[in-house]
Amino acid sequence: MKEVSVLAPASVANVVCGFDCLGFALAAPFDEMNLRLINEKTVRIINQDDHNLPTEPEKNVAGVALSAILDEIGDEIGFEVKITKHIKPGSGLGSSSASAVGAVVAANKLLSERFSRMELAEFALKGEFLASQGRHADNVAPCLYGGFTLVRSVFPLDIVEIEFPKLFVTVIHPQIEIKTSEARKILPAQVPLKSAIHAWANVGALIAALSKGDYGLIARSLEDLIVEPVRKSLIPHFDEVKNASLKANALGGGISGSGPSIFMLSETLETADAVKQAMCEVYENTKIEFNTYVSEINSEGVKILDK
Ligand code: ADP
């Protein structure tokens, strides 16, 4: 096989109480990527969208991830990657992880599945490092594995797949920019023990609730006293969107990644659509442009397209 195309999904990291460890994949939006083997030990990037991302491999997460694979295999081959990005960079929807994971999954297909999923996660993390300046796997893991994941540890990498019931996700992406670095700067350096207890109790309860399909407990566990109270100030009308969504019967939700996207989980598609309507009503009264997405949690992760 000389050429392969993949769809790499957006993902929601943090998931309210699971800062830097929980994440899930979305069915939409996703990036389209096409990878071709070439006879030169290099990575060639062709962007087929309007995001003006760098084409130098060392400045593009897909390029860094693919270069890591080339360094590992040592063969005289390379990759040409065409990227059509539908997940806006800096949206808080795992745009950089989608590129990193899509690239390594496609490369592995061209290399006759030479690497394990955990090895692919390591290559993708090298790419993701470029965007986040840290070893963060909470978008990489769900994009690669699909579904709901928990990153128990990044050194060594330990990814836990979590069972979950039918869940629908509504996302609103206000078209404003929040730099992940800025969103990190405002985080508290220390956390009172009381808040920490609250957080790990909620994470434990959320995992149990997802596994049991206990929607009431999912709703009660989607609570965060540490990050949301400080970060929500970066997102206009956050409280209004959240309150309107809960009124429309969302189970709960909060900031997606480091924002500005906001996500809400719902038990049914009808509720998720009603939540979208409620979110739109809040933002239609502002001058801020926005996109919305309604999708199921994507249990598959990156999808390899059959020719
Ligand atoms: P998001 O929160 O949507 O995942 P990130 O903050 O993780 O966005 O990543 C966006 C940053 O990564 C931007 O500064 C962007 O220029 C950089 N970047 C480099 N390569 C890519 C790529 N292939 N896809 C997306 N972002 C990339």
Side-chain angles (χ1 to χ4, degrees), residues 100-156:
V101 175
V104 299
V105 169
N108 199 39
K109 185 78 183 166
L110 294 178
L111 298 171
S112 311
E113 315 272 359
R114 191 182 300 197
F115 296 108
S116 69
R117 218 156 44 159
M118 197 53 89
E119 288 169 320
L120 293 183
E122 285 290 351
F123 293 129
L125 271 192
K126 291 200 170 124
E128 176 67 353
F129 190 91
L130 178 74
S132 61
Q133 292 302 307
R135 204 173 141 84
H136 298 294
D138 48 349
N139 286 110
V140 163
C143 186
L144 182 60
Y145 287 67
F148 234 107
T149 55
L150 180 134
V151 181
R152 194 201 59 80
S153 148
V154 282
F155 283 118

Side-chain angles (χ1 to χ4, degrees), residues 5 16 36 127 152 165 181 214-215 271 290 307:
S5 295
V16 190
R36 198 165 68 82
R152 194 201 59 80
S181 53
D214 183 338
Y215 291 104
T271 307
F290 61 93
K307 275 261 155 189

Side-chain angles (χ1 to χ4, degrees), residues 11 31 33 45 47 51-54 56-57 59-63 83 85 87-100 127-128 130-132 139 173 177-181 256-261:
S11 51
D31 289 350
M33 300 177 80
I45 297 173
N47 290 319
H51 297 300
N52 291 320
L53 287 170
E56 301 95 317
K59 291 186 188 161
N60 189 305
V61 295
I83 307 175
K85 194 159 264 303
I87 314 165
K88 203 168 170 187
S91 55
L93 292 172
S95 176
S96 49
S97 292
S99 281
E128 176 67 353
L130 178 74
S132 61
N139 286 110
H173 173 204
E177 194 190 346
I178 295 180
K179 288 207 185 319
T180 307
S181 53
S256 177
S258 52
S261 292

Side-chain angles (χ1 to χ4, degrees), residues 12 14-18 21-25 142 146-151 160-169 201-222 251-253 263-267 296-298:
V12 168
N14 296 339
V15 198
V16 190
C17 54
C21 61
L22 277 182
F24 60 80
F148 234 107
T149 55
L150 180 134
V151 181
V160 184
E161 290 180 84
I162 297 159
E163 279 181 59
F164 59 97
K166 218 168 189 39
L167 277 171
F168 295 86
V169 192
N202 273 321
V203 175
L206 180 58
I207 305 295
L210 288 166
S211 306
K212 292 196 286 189
D214 183 338
Y215 291 104
L217 187 55
I218 291 174
R220 298 199 297 285
S221 313
L222 288 170
L251 294 166
F263 80 96
M264 288 286 151
L265 293 176
S266 296
E267 210 175 320
E296 225 176 312
I297 290 187
N298 166 358

Side-chain angles (χ1 to χ4, degrees), residues 233-261:
S233 60
L234 300 174
I235 305 172
H237 310 286
F238 175 85
D239 282 333
E240 286 160 71
V241 168
K242 188 165 176 175
N243 291 336
S245 303
L246 294 176
K247 224 168 149 188
N249 283 331
L251 294 166
I255 303 169
S256 177
S258 52
S261 292

